[in-house]
Amino acid sequence: MTPPVDTWCALSAVLTVDELVEIGDHLMRRQSPDATLDQLHEAVRRYAGRHGAKRLRQAAELVRARTDSRRETWLRLVLHRAGLPEPEINVSVRDAEGRHIKLGDLVYERERVLVEYDGEQHRTDSMQYHKDTRDLERAVAAGWAVIRVGRLDRDERAIVRRVRSALHRRA
């Protein structure tokens, strides 16, 4: 068995940049991460000159910590490629008095725009679905614009339009 970071590097020979970013984000996930950004960058330096090294360098520049799912990473990359500002990842969404409402997937705090990816747990866990619905209602009541994206939202341009529109209305 190879260490997770070395496996990530080796996979650069066969995976796309986006797939490498998804794995890199997973290595630096919010809960129980396997690596730090410094460890990933050091591994990229060690991997220089090998097949896939260019993709690995490109991916390393796009990897972010604190992620919870590959679909959140996919959504962040969709917004990035469209030239939108980079959101904060899995940070506290707060009301006007500073009280925590929920941990937001992709957060534009200054504009008060929250972009949420509704994963499979929303289909399979009714308690989680109920909690998330109430939390999002509280965010809207506190003045946040909420953009929800789910597994059936496949039109990337439509997603970007929705987020861009919310950001411009709030700027």
Side-chain angles (χ1 to χ4, degrees):
M1 286 187 28
T2 60
V5 174
D6 291 343
T7 302
W8 176 67
C9 290
L11 288 171
S12 68
V14 295
L15 297 181
T16 67
V17 169
D18 283 5
E19 291 167 329
L20 290 167
V21 173
E22 289 174 0
I23 294 169
D25 276 11
H26 178 74
L27 291 173
M28 295 193 349
R29 65 192 170 274
R30 185 171 58 88
Q31 296 181 7
S32 304
D34 291 314
T36 66
L37 190 57
D38 287 343
Q39 290 171 323
L40 293 184
H41 283 282
E42 177 56 33
V44 169
R45 281 190 286 282
R46 287 193 320 266
Y47 207 76
R50 298 186 195 173
H51 183 63
K54 180 180 177 184
R55 276 192 301 273
L56 192 59
R57 278 192 314 276
Q58 292 170 331
E61 294 304 315
L62 295 170
V63 170
R64 299 295 181 265
R66 297 189 48 78
T67 60
D68 279 339
S69 77
R70 64 181 287 271
R71 296 305 288 171
E72 284 178 17
T73 296
W74 166 81
L75 181 54
R76 179 176 58 81
L77 292 174
V78 165
L79 302 178
H80 169 78
R81 281 192 298 271
L84 292 176
E86 183 157 348
E88 293 181 83
I89 301 168
N90 287 309
V91 296
S92 181
V93 171
R94 298 182 178 279
D95 66 17
E97 288 76 40
R99 291 181 300 243
H100 174 81
I101 297 172
K102 73 176 303 322
L103 201 62
D105 293 345
L106 302 175
V107 177
Y108 294 96
E109 187 172 5
R110 185 174 60 82
E111 297 87 354
R112 296 181 70 80
V113 172
L114 169 60
V115 183
E116 287 286 290
Y117 185 83
D118 289 341
E120 283 299 301
Q121 76 277 12
H122 294 99
R123 186 179 63 78
T124 60
D125 184 340
S126 59
M127 292 298 288
Q128 182 67 48
Y129 177 80
H130 179 75
K131 179 191 178 313
D132 287 349
T133 298
R134 294 299 164 258
D135 288 348
L136 292 175
E137 287 173 359
R138 289 176 49 224
V140 168
W144 285 81
V146 175
I147 308 295
R148 295 175 78 174
V149 177
R151 63 185 176 90
L152 297 179
D153 288 307
R154 295 190 179 114
D155 184 346
E156 293 180 7
R157 289 180 299 188
I159 294 167
V160 168
R161 277 193 304 270
R162 291 167 56 204
V163 174
R164 182 175 280 130
S165 176
L167 290 171
H168 286 305
R169 282 195 311 266
R170 304 287 183 137

